[in-house]
Amino acid sequence: MLRVTTNLLNENVLILYYPVNLSRLGGMLLLFAAPLLLLSLLAIINLEISSRTSVFNKEKVKGRASMQNLPVITRGRMGIVSAAELLWFVLFLLMFCWIMGNYIVRDLKAFETIHLKPFEKMWGKKLKRIGLHLGFIGIICLNLLFLPVSRGSVLLRTIDIPYEHAVKYHQWLGHFMMTLFTLHGLSYSIAWYSEDRLSKLFDWAPHKVANFAGVIALLAGVTMWITSIGWVRKKYFETFYWTHHLYIVFALFMTFHIGEVLFNVTFCGLFLFVLDRFLRFCQSRNSVGVLSTKLLPCGTFELTLAKSRGVKYHALSYIYLNIPEVSKLQWHPFSVASSPYDGDSWLKILIKPYGGWTLQLQDLVSAVVKLGRCPSNINAAIEGPYGHESNFFLQYEMLVLVAGGIGISPFVALLRDLLQRYQRGQPNLPSTVYLIWAVQKSEELQLLGLIPASTICPDYKLKFNLEVHAFVTRETSPFSLERGSETSDLHQHDRFKMPRILASLIDAEASKHPMSIVAGAGNNMWITACFLASLLGYIIVYLLINLFIVQPFEQGSVKDGNSSGSIPRWITGLFSVISMILGVVICGGSVVSLWNFLGRLHQNTSGAVEENVHLLSTSDNDGTAFTDECADRLLDPSNTYFGHRPNLRDLFDGYRKLQRPGANVGVLVSGPESLQISVAETCRAFNTVNYDSRRVAFSYHSVSFEL
């Protein structure tokens, strides 16, 4: 068995030895990287098999809510925590305590026979040893830290944990890891101060631990840590965003600090993150055309983006959007507001202006639409789509959708998707859907007009039960539910104050610039090829560097009689980083280039233009189509309430009484944090610990995205 132990004769160098004849590099890779790399490969295979399996005949979920969908903690610094997450969190802490306990017991026995140097103190020696163990566990955490923020991570996709949920695990690991690293640095600093050797913090020994590199890494990490604290992140998001790019400095100087051998402890997490980041970069280099824009009176606007047929997504997917005309650096996530069945060559998003970037984009779109300029020349860069790997909402017989404000966007996509599926005659679909929607002003209710139910599925009322309950919190009477009388609005001074769709613009030529098929969550076979090519590239580059740089240098040092002339530890660590990056860029990049070339070769842009001209011509061009689609409004005065928020307990209790005993209701929430907490607490109230098979369970799902 491979064992890792600490040499107690050296105060700050972790020396590794192996009972079997393995190289240090190969041993660490086998111990820490190989299992995760193998799991990643198996995960891709599983995803490909799952994608070919039909979900229509799966049985509906019944009985109690699963631990993953059962909220336990709803308020606090950890956010909303499910029973499964709490269990894993406790197990993680118990394992940490067990590992540290083993280290301390072993060290106590060893310290009985240790000889101190004249300047050393026993308590200082023990403190440094504890700091050493804390640092090593922190390195293991660093390996895991990058996995949740790999947006197209095959490991997370396999267990159907989307990126917006995995960010929470990244935050937890980050806080825990930085606590360990901070205690690691403080332990050595206090011990050296007591020995009057605090200057060792600035040592950069070539063949030992580079202490000063560790100080730089710790400072970069602490800076990111402080700016990622909840209230700091929310109040100064720009500061948080830009300081978080210090992860490059942190990872690089951490490699200098720990050297080549321990770098391989973190290799797998870094490798998968770099590969994902490279795929995102390749996809975002492609300019995406904006097929149409639609301005709504509440300030929200809709963008229709061209995409390749090979780009697959689900009803609850989201994308990252960049508009170079507004800012070349800022990227923002937006939920998809269309169904994959709506069209193969485009998708839609809804944007409500909140901050500077969205307000600037609104001004740009408004200016283009007012001028009627076609082509619009609005180009976008896209990363994604991301989200759940499966349409998990189909597993429930009944759905309760709770939205706040623009949080209706993913549910617009979901309802359109259900209508399309019913129209196609797909079996085993949810039979009842309740939508609870809270808005501040009644003009926002017109967003439901983007769901032309009777147009998509003329007899939808006979196929499933769809009920909507809307709550307008800041108005006490109806304002814009009923269509006003026809007026000569075209002669108004500013036609952008019309009560319905203000204006729209279609640019079918934008179909010639679709979203790239190169995506971290794209074709599984191509991702496998990129993964294997990048890994092989790393090995080849590493061997070449050792063959042509490291070995000749060390052989020359031996000939010159310089016993300490080997390449410094931090340099070998740098070589490992360079090997990984070059392996991904050169070998992985070659596969990506072939992937992109073949995708463009089989892409029929002329066919896409014709399809989009037909599809978009049937939608709103001057505002009239939108109002026609609303002939069978999902909202009317009977299901719209003014002046108060929804009473979730009463509503859920009413839904519970309509269900059979033992039913499991899927609850999806999209909106601000306060709404998510209210829904989670309501689900928790109905999901008692002492489960009764006659009770109705409510499974909680959040489809909101917040950093």
Side-chain angles (χ1 to χ4, degrees):
M1 179 181 177
L2 186 65
R3 294 188 299 164
V4 181
T5 60
T6 306
N7 187 337
L8 297 175
L9 299 178
N10 194 309
E11 64 187 28
N12 62 357
V13 180
L14 193 66
I15 299 178
L16 306 163
Y17 72 92
Y18 312 95
V20 293
N21 186 20
L22 290 174
S23 68
R24 294 188 301 170
L25 172 66
M28 297 304 288
L29 282 176
L30 285 174
L31 180 62
F32 291 98
L36 281 176
L37 293 174
L38 180 60
L39 282 176
S40 299
L41 186 59
L42 294 176
I44 299 175
I45 298 173
N46 178 70
L47 288 172
E48 182 62 23
I49 295 174
S50 300
S51 66
R52 302 175 185 271
T53 304
S54 175
V55 298
F56 300 140
N57 297 322
K58 290 186 177 180
E59 294 185 0
K60 297 297 184 184
V61 175
K62 295 181 180 179
R64 68 187 310 163
S66 66
M67 293 184 66
Q68 184 62 34
N69 302 321
L70 181 63
V72 176
I73 301 174
T74 57
R75 298 178 185 271
R77 297 183 182 275
M78 295 178 65
I80 298 174
V81 182
S82 68
E85 291 169 341
L86 182 61
L87 177 61
W88 281 109
F89 185 81
V90 172
L91 290 176
F92 184 86
L93 291 181
L94 289 176
M95 178 163 290
F96 165 74
C97 295
W98 178 74
I99 293 174
M100 281 301 299
N102 280 333
Y103 277 141
I104 292 173
V105 169
R106 188 185 62 188
D107 288 349
L108 288 176
K109 295 180 180 179
F111 276 119
E112 294 176 357
T113 58
I114 196 170
H115 297 286
L116 297 177
K117 297 178 182 179
F119 54 82
E120 289 184 324
K121 300 176 182 178
M122 180 57 71
W123 68 267
K125 191 74 174 180
K126 292 180 179 180
L127 186 61
K128 285 185 286 186
R129 187 57 51 192
I130 292 174
L132 181 63
H133 298 322
L134 291 173
F136 183 70
I137 297 175
I139 293 172
I140 298 176
C141 292
L142 180 61
N143 183 37
L144 303 175
L145 183 70
F146 289 95
L147 296 178
V149 288
S150 299
R151 295 178 188 169
S153 171
V154 293
L155 295 173
L156 296 176
R157 289 170 58 199
T158 299
I159 55 179
D160 202 19
I161 297 180
Y163 167 69
E164 65 268 25
H165 293 174
V167 167
K168 176 169 57 178
Y169 310 142
H170 171 76
Q171 294 171 350
W172 295 354
L173 279 169
H175 289 310
F176 185 75
M177 182 194 71
M178 285 310 305
T179 300
L180 296 179
F181 282 151
T182 302
L183 293 175
H184 167 79
L186 288 175
S187 298
Y188 276 91
S189 299
I190 294 172
W192 284 333
Y193 179 78
S194 68
E195 298 168 357
D196 198 22
R197 295 195 304 158
L198 195 57
S199 59
K200 286 185 67 66
L201 286 172
F202 304 99
D203 284 356
W204 196 306
H207 303 294
K208 295 183 179 180
V209 174
N211 295 332
F212 190 55
V215 172
I216 296 174
L218 183 60
L219 291 175
V222 169
T223 303
M224 291 188 290
W225 190 19
I226 293 174
T227 56
S228 65
I229 297 173
W231 68 270
V232 178
R233 182 179 68 250
K234 293 178 181 179
K235 191 173 182 179
Y236 306 100
F237 184 81
E238 291 290 330
T239 302
F240 155 77
Y241 176 78
W242 290 113
T243 55
H244 236 61
H245 286 78
L246 288 173
Y247 77 88
I248 300 174
V249 176
F250 175 77
L252 184 62
F253 280 88
M254 182 61 70
T255 303
F256 295 163
H257 179 61
I258 63 181
E260 172 194 27
V261 176
L262 290 183
F263 168 78
N264 290 287
V265 176
T266 69
F267 172 79
C268 184
L270 285 171
F271 172 76
L272 293 176
F273 174 77
V274 170
L275 177 60
D276 177 79
R277 190 65 189 86
F278 179 69
L279 291 175
R280 286 162 47 196
F281 173 81
C282 293
Q283 185 189 27
S284 63
R285 295 307 93 193
N286 187 59
S287 180
V288 179
V290 178
L291 288 168
S292 73
T293 59
K294 184 183 293 183
L295 302 177
L296 305 177
C298 58
T300 302
F301 54 99
E302 177 190 84
L303 298 182
T304 304
L305 304 168
K307 77 174 186 68
S308 302
R309 295 178 185 270
V311 177
K312 305 298 182 182
Y313 70 98
H314 296 293
L316 295 177
S317 297
Y318 67 94
I319 62 172
Y320 270 82
L321 176 68
N322 169 265
I323 305 294
E325 288 88 344
V326 177
S327 172
K328 295 182 178 180
L329 300 177
Q330 293 191 48
W331 292 80
H332 296 265
F334 294 99
S335 297
V336 174
S338 58
S339 166
Y341 294 105
D342 289 338
D344 291 332
S345 303
W346 49 268
L347 57 79
K348 296 183 178 183
I349 59 174
L350 294 173
I351 302 176
K352 182 175 182 178
Y354 278 110
W357 186 87
T358 50
L359 288 172
Q360 293 179 50
L361 178 57
Q362 183 189 40
D363 292 340
L364 175 64
V365 171
S366 300
V368 169
V369 173
K370 283 183 178 181
L371 294 175
R373 189 176 67 196
C374 193
S376 64
N377 294 327
I378 299 179
N379 293 311
I382 303 294
E383 290 182 2
Y386 303 110
H388 283 276
E389 190 63 24
S390 63
N391 291 302
F392 69 91
F393 58 88
L394 296 178
Q395 66 183 329
Y396 296 103
E397 186 68 28
M398 172 180 168
L399 293 173
V400 176
L401 314 178
V402 186
I406 195 61
I408 193 67
S409 295
F411 297 148
V412 169
L414 186 149
L415 292 175
R416 292 183 68 107
D417 191 70
L418 281 178
L419 290 166
Q420 292 280 10
R421 290 175 183 273
Y422 270 109
Q423 179 63 18
R424 285 164 169 75
Q426 292 183 5
N428 208 26
L429 298 175
S431 60
T432 304
V433 179
Y434 295 103
L435 173 62
I436 304 171
W437 187 23
V439 297
Q440 294 183 352
K441 297 182 179 180
S442 57
E443 60 184 10
E444 298 179 53
L445 299 175
Q446 295 175 12
L447 289 176
L448 278 186
L450 299 173
I451 309 175
S454 294
T455 302
I456 297 175
C457 183
D459 57 345
Y460 77 94
K461 294 182 179 179
L462 302 177
K463 295 183 176 181
F464 77 112
N465 179 32
L466 173 59
E467 292 188 17
V468 180
H469 300 279
F471 296 83
V472 184
T473 60
R474 295 191 178 181
E475 293 180 9
T476 57
S477 60
F479 175 70
S480 60
L481 282 178
E482 301 298 328
R483 183 177 177 182
S485 58
E486 298 295 336
T487 59
S488 57
D489 51 84
L490 294 177
H491 301 287
Q492 293 178 4
H493 176 70
D494 189 353
R495 70 189 299 265
F496 281 78
K497 295 183 179 180
M498 292 171 58
R500 293 296 174 188
I501 285 186
L502 302 180
S504 63
L505 179 68
I506 298 176
D507 179 12
E509 290 298 315
S511 299
K512 296 180 179 179
H513 305 283
M515 191 184 307
S516 173
I517 62 173
V518 177
N523 186 285
N524 294 318
M525 303 310 296
W526 280 110
I527 292 176
T528 304
C530 292
F531 173 82
L532 294 176
S534 300
L535 187 59
L536 180 62
Y538 162 74
I539 296 173
I540 293 174
V541 174
Y542 181 84
L543 292 177
L544 290 175
I545 290 177
N546 274 270
L547 181 62
F548 293 103
I549 298 178
V550 176
Q551 291 183 9
F553 182 87
E554 292 182 347
Q555 291 173 359
S557 299
V558 171
K559 290 180 181 180
D560 295 338
N562 185 3
S563 59
S564 62
S566 60
I567 292 182
R569 293 175 74 253
W570 70 273
I571 292 292
T572 58
L574 178 61
F575 286 161
S576 296
V577 175
I578 293 174
S579 301
M580 179 179 63
I581 295 175
L582 291 181
V584 171
V585 173
I586 297 176
C587 297
S590 300
V591 175
V592 169
S593 299
L594 181 61
W595 182 6
N596 191 49
F597 173 76
L598 294 178
R600 290 180 178 275
L601 195 64
H602 293 89
Q603 184 176 291
N604 183 9
T605 55
S606 60
V609 171
E610 295 175 359
E611 177 189 358
N612 290 330
V613 168
H614 171 71
L615 290 174
L616 295 174
S617 63
T618 61
S619 64
D620 170 62
N621 200 15
D622 60 359
T624 58
F626 180 78
T627 56
D628 291 339
E629 290 175 355
C630 294
D632 61 328
R633 292 191 185 94
L634 298 177
L635 286 175
D636 56 58
S638 65
N639 61 5
T640 306
Y641 312 93
F642 292 84
H644 64 90
R645 297 179 179 180
N647 188 323
L648 295 177
R649 293 289 182 95
D650 290 347
L651 289 169
F652 276 49
D653 189 57
Y655 302 151
R656 177 186 61 81
K657 294 177 181 178
L658 297 175
Q659 295 300 299
R660 296 178 180 177
N664 192 321
V665 178
V667 180
L668 283 67
V669 58
S670 175
E673 183 180 3
S674 58
L675 180 64
Q676 297 177 52
I677 292 174
S678 298
V679 175
E681 290 178 342
T682 304
C683 291
R684 185 180 62 183
F686 284 95
N687 296 324
T688 57
V689 177
N690 297 323
Y691 177 73
D692 187 344
S693 60
R694 294 170 297 179
R695 297 179 65 90
V696 175
F698 290 88
S699 295
Y700 174 84
H701 299 270
S702 173
V703 294
S704 300
F705 181 79
E706 289 184 3
L707 284 178

